[in-house]
Amino acid sequence: MTDQMLRSSFGAAATAYAEHRPDYAQAAVRWALEPAPGLRVLDLGAGTGKLSATLAAVGADVVAVEPDPAMLAELRRAMPTVRALPGSAEAIPLPDGSVDAVLAGNALHWFDMAVAGAEIARVLAPGGVLAGLWNIMDDRVDWVAGLERVSGSAAIGPRDTLSSWRAATAELLPSNGPVARFGSSEQGEFPHGQRRTADSLVATLATRAGMLVMPDPEREATLDRIRAFLGSGPETAHGEFTLPMLTGVLRARRR
């Protein structure tokens, strides 16, 4: 399975993505932007606008760039006041030095940084910030750890849990070598949560890239296994519950 296949899998699920994917903790976004020289922010790989909405809520001047037409259409429908453009991390349709920060919500790991690093550095103002954000499950909670075991890596991968996200993302912004465009990176986690039911959490996990590209029989078997687990647990079997999460941030400043 190639990264390109996984990366291009989301468009068909754009409506479900918009409905079920969580937003981002405002404290995490504020920390990501803290070193930036201003609040002109590019949401890169913006999807349906989950991060754009949080950026707007903290007062940023947001422009969104998204390569998938279905995701871009959903973003424009949901956030008509945000400037939203077709483009990618490897070909950003903005002028040099035009933003103070580039943020990517659950997207930085898809970028080809050998190309995208130079493009991101190009559009950033001096001292600008690049940050990746991931919503991660708090697997210190017993039932969340159980859900991870039952779900498998296609639904809950190494970037999706507190115990593994730091190691899985630490090398995404190389600070030395020929493609280094940024200084040393920092990581932080910020409390978050999402109100779910068993059915809506199943629907959320069904929007993960690994699930979207699974053969239908395998996908349905995995979702049935997750559904049975959630239906059997006292924390998740009856009505709404809060999925314990954090927003993890990896940030670095442009050299």
Side-chain angles (χ1 to χ4, degrees), residues 1-137:
M1 186 86 50
T2 67
D3 281 352
Q4 177 59 40
M5 290 173 64
L6 291 167
R7 192 165 50 234
S8 62
S9 66
F10 295 111
T15 302
Y17 193 103
E19 180 179 356
H20 294 294
R21 285 294 184 104
D23 61 3
Y24 295 85
Q26 288 192 12
V29 169
R30 290 192 182 98
W31 187 80
L33 295 176
E34 186 180 47
L39 286 175
R40 299 173 300 164
V41 183
L42 167 60
D43 180 2
L44 187 56
T48 62
K50 295 288 184 177
L51 179 56
S52 289
T54 308
L55 284 164
V58 302
D61 176 14
V62 187
V63 57
V65 168
E66 166 57 37
D68 187 281
M71 301 287 266
L72 186 62
E74 188 65 37
L75 190 161
R76 286 170 168 164
R77 183 198 63 76
M79 301 196 66
T81 61
V82 169
R83 183 182 174 210
L85 305 172
S88 69
E90 296 78 19
I92 301 172
L94 294 177
D96 295 1
S98 57
V99 295
D100 301 301
V102 175
L103 269 60
N106 277 82
L108 187 67
H109 51 277
W110 299 124
F111 300 168
D112 176 3
M113 287 303 292
V115 180
E119 265 293 87
I120 292 167
R122 179 185 66 77
V123 303
L124 277 171
V129 170
L130 169 61
L133 294 87
W134 291 266
N135 279 317
I136 54 180
M137 296 186 187

Side-chain angles (χ1 to χ4, degrees), residues 73-221:
E74 188 65 37
L75 190 161
R76 286 170 168 164
R77 183 198 63 76
M79 301 196 66
T81 61
V82 169
R83 183 182 174 210
L85 305 172
S88 69
E90 296 78 19
I92 301 172
L94 294 177
D96 295 1
S98 57
V99 295
D100 301 301
V102 175
L103 269 60
N106 277 82
L108 187 67
H109 51 277
W110 299 124
F111 300 168
D112 176 3
M113 287 303 292
V115 180
E119 265 293 87
I120 292 167
R122 179 185 66 77
V123 303
L124 277 171
V129 170
L130 169 61
L133 294 87
W134 291 266
N135 279 317
I136 54 180
M137 296 186 187
D138 190 348
D139 56 356
R140 295 171 298 186
V141 177
D142 287 346
W143 77 259
V144 176
L147 176 64
E148 180 185 7
R149 289 191 295 271
V150 165
S151 300
S153 60
I156 302 177
R159 290 180 299 270
D160 298 326
T161 60
L162 177 60
S163 63
S164 58
W165 89 274
R166 282 183 173 244
T169 62
E171 303 304 320
L172 290 177
L173 302 178
S175 58
N176 50 57
V179 299
R181 308 281 175 172
F182 301 92
S184 297
S185 58
E186 304 172 88
Q187 292 172 307
E189 294 116 7
F190 301 85
H192 199 27
Q194 185 185 27
R195 293 295 288 172
R196 296 283 80 184
T197 64
D199 286 343
S200 65
L201 182 49
V202 170
T204 301
L205 295 174
T207 68
R208 299 294 176 88
M211 298 295 293
L212 292 171
V213 299
M214 263 188 186
D216 286 345
E218 184 181 353
R219 182 172 181 270
E220 289 309 311

